[in-house]
Amino acid sequence: MKALVLPGGSLNLPEALRERHGLTRGGEVLVEDTGEAIVLRTLDQAVARAQALSRRLVAGRSGASVDDFLAARMGDTGAE
């Protein structure tokens, strides 16, 4: 699949690709330069990727959940 880079630097993605990824009315994408490639991700894709990574990093660790963090903060506030 080809895309066209316009003279001003805009990238024209094929319609089928935009539709598949929910970019039918425009929208923001995050651009990652890996050094070997340029990777485009929708904001939803980036959030899902970050969530999956954080789940892997904290899996099975006690005290690592948001609920644990909030409980600790409440404890800190009550101790002052």
Side-chain angles (χ1 to χ4, degrees):
M1 183 176 298
K2 287 184 180 181
L4 179 63
V5 178
L6 301 174
S10 297
L11 180 64
N12 189 2
L13 298 173
E15 182 178 8
L17 191 60
R18 293 190 314 265
E19 287 177 355
R20 185 178 328 143
H21 293 282
L23 297 170
T24 54
R25 289 192 272 162
E28 291 182 294
V29 293
L30 298 178
V31 180
E32 178 184 351
D33 180 355
T34 68
E36 296 179 5
I38 298 169
V39 178
L40 303 178
R41 287 191 179 87
T42 65
L43 298 180
D44 288 344
Q45 290 168 334
V47 168
R49 186 170 183 255
Q51 288 171 334
L53 176 60
S54 65
R55 277 193 292 276
R56 283 195 306 263
L57 291 174
V58 300
R61 293 185 183 186
S62 70
S65 72
V66 171
D67 290 336
D68 294 334
F69 172 78
L70 293 174
R73 292 297 296 156
M74 291 300 285
D76 291 345
T77 302
E80 291 179 3

